Amino acid sequence: MSTEGEHKEIILNGISASPGICIGKAYLVDREGVDVIKRYHIDADDLQNEVTRFKVAVKQAKDELHAIIKETSEDLQQHADILETQVVVLEDKMLYGRTIETIEKEQINAEWALKKVVSKVKSMFQDITDAYLKDRTTDIEHVSDRIMRHLVGAEPVNIAEIDKRVILIAHDLSPAQTSQINLERIMGFVTVLGGVTSHTSIIARSLGIPAVQGIENASRLIQNDDIIIVDGSRGNVFINPSEPTLVDYMERQERFESFQAGIARSSHQPAKTTDGHRVKVMGNIEQPEQVVAVMDNGGEGVGLFRTEFQYLSSPQFPGEDELFEKYKEVVDVMPNGPVTIRTLDINGDKAFVRNSGVAESNPALGLRAIRYCLKRPDVFKTQLRAILRAAVFGEVRLLLPMLATLDELMIAKSLLEDAIQSLEDEDQEYNRNIDLGVMIEVPSLAVMADVIAREVDFFSIGTNDLIQYSMAVDRGNREVAYLYNPLHPAILRILKFVSDAAKQEGIKLFMCGEMAGDPFSLPVLLGLGIDELSMTPQSIPVLKNMIRSISMADARTFMQEILKQTSARAVTELIQSNYGGIISETIFPE
Ligand code: PEP
Ligand code: MG
């Protein structure tokens, strides 16, 4: 990193979260107006006024929090609990008392005093690993941001309302915030937190905007209106780029976009390997409207419809008719391809909503997805009924997420029977002849794949969670991202076992985790005999392009060599030496 002088080019390296290049002005999301705090002296006579100004800002922040808590529905109890904690933090001695003390002792303005106290608290907690205390530091940060906004008179940023073309810079973006992004305004984004399979980056890829995550100092080093370049393909961010860098990147952006346009044209043809094997390539969607992107990019169906986002956007759960309309919308646009509707997968790293009211210290291991649905059969059956009704209009598949045991599958199947029976009793139009599949994403289910295969029509491997749970690595934590490798032999052995189980029982094997859209993993996926790959729509053209350059017979032989390797590095080297040329030619020849 070079940091001489204020306007010198600075290069930051992070994690490539969504490919592509964008060049434009930075827009700081969570700290608008808050990062340009200046220090100034307060005369002794004015000190009391300054303290009052601080107290007023705290009071405004408190009123604001109370108003939000009041509007929070009971179902969002956990969110309300977090806010209640923040109300307490607001008047905690550590923050409130010390800031007043600092204003008075050092005769400085309230903003500077608050900033100073917060950074002291943060450095005190820096090396602490205790999750509870870490959460308290986050609360202190959120609370101080809120007070600071009142002190400087800045409005909180609503992403949906940003009205200029900018690149977002944020500490973190929640999946719900990311899904509010307006493509005409937001060119790309950079965040401090997150990793390649965090839901935020998945949404960025499906929106087709470049994104880099895991840039530690992003919101400190980047100022509002700085010119920046986001190279989402390489995971680089340039602040105040030099003239030669700008010219280079403008050319690169043009080449990238024309290459994309070229492969997008050929993507409407089926993808066959050089020895004639047809591999189906499908799209993953989060919102019904994205089905258009699947079509535009040559997707042959929807391999994964993540339905939870419809539940996150409003405080009320959607009703059966509303769900049915949305599912039908997708099925209508995709008349020739299957639409794989996955039942509700909330909690985990997607907004923590509608919990039992008990705060979870490990949400990824908690009441997520099917676990929640089995606890709330009313919610689950409403969704199942909507899916069965939509299945009248096209080829629908039903996919269950996060199963850990055969028992859970059997209970889910009996609830499906109940839903069918209720539609039958009410004389509703529905279609019960739909394929039922499970996500293979919890290791306990993967090792039971031979047994599970007898109960379902297909498997869909969710590598994002399968890797997270198998390697004990948080999918959104950049500190441990080095362990997050789909090509680790441990993962490849699990995939081989699951693939053998599916073949043995004669059921279809699909993959819809991010590994399915990773060109580097493709030779392995072909070697494993995966029937269908589903990915963010924007990745489809590249993968189809690459499938056309690989022989299935070679991939199968190659897989035998791969399975003998004992480290991710050895696997990577082997892929590089056998397929490196094909990969770099088909992804983006630079
Ligand atoms: C997965 O876990 O691989 C998957 C596709 O599901 P999600 O990313 O929605 O958890
Ligand atoms: Mg998953």
Side-chain angles (χ1 to χ4, degrees), residues 7 19 30 42 86 154 165 240 290 320 325 336 386 392 406 420 437 444 470 485 489 536 543 553 559:
H7 294 295
D30 31 12
I42 306 287
Q86 294 192 353
R165 268 185 78 64
N240 299 318
Q290 288 170 327
E320 180 183 318
E325 288 302 333
N336 303 320
V392 171
L406 175 65
I420 291 170
S444 61
S470 305
N485 193 336
T536 42
L543 267 288
M559 193 60 204

Side-chain angles (χ1 to χ4, degrees), residues 304-370:
L304 170 65
F305 180 2
R306 291 183 166 98
T307 57
E308 43 278 5
F309 292 90
Q310 241 180 299
Y311 290 71
L312 300 179
S313 52
S314 94
Q316 302 302 324
F317 271 169
E320 180 183 318
D321 286 343
E322 189 183 338
L323 293 171
F324 162 72
E325 288 302 333
K326 293 288 179 191
Y327 302 159
K328 180 172 179 298
E329 216 175 275
V330 176
V331 174
D332 285 344
V333 179
M334 197 46 88
N336 303 320
V339 173
T340 315
I341 306 182
R342 183 177 73 180
T343 58
L344 188 55
D345 180 1
I346 46 171
N347 300 334
D349 78 332
K350 288 167 243 196
F352 312 121
V353 292
R354 294 161 207 271
N355 268 347
S356 55
V358 181
E360 296 188 313
S361 45
N362 282 308
L365 305 180
L367 193 62
R368 184 185 161 185
I370 196 76

Side-chain angles (χ1 to χ4, degrees), residues 135-150:
D135 281 352
R136 292 296 71 76
T137 331
T138 315
D139 286 333
I140 288 174
E141 266 185 89
H142 285 167
V143 158
S144 68
D145 276 356
R146 197 175 283 279
I147 304 173
M148 196 69 95
R149 277 203 307 269
H150 287 289

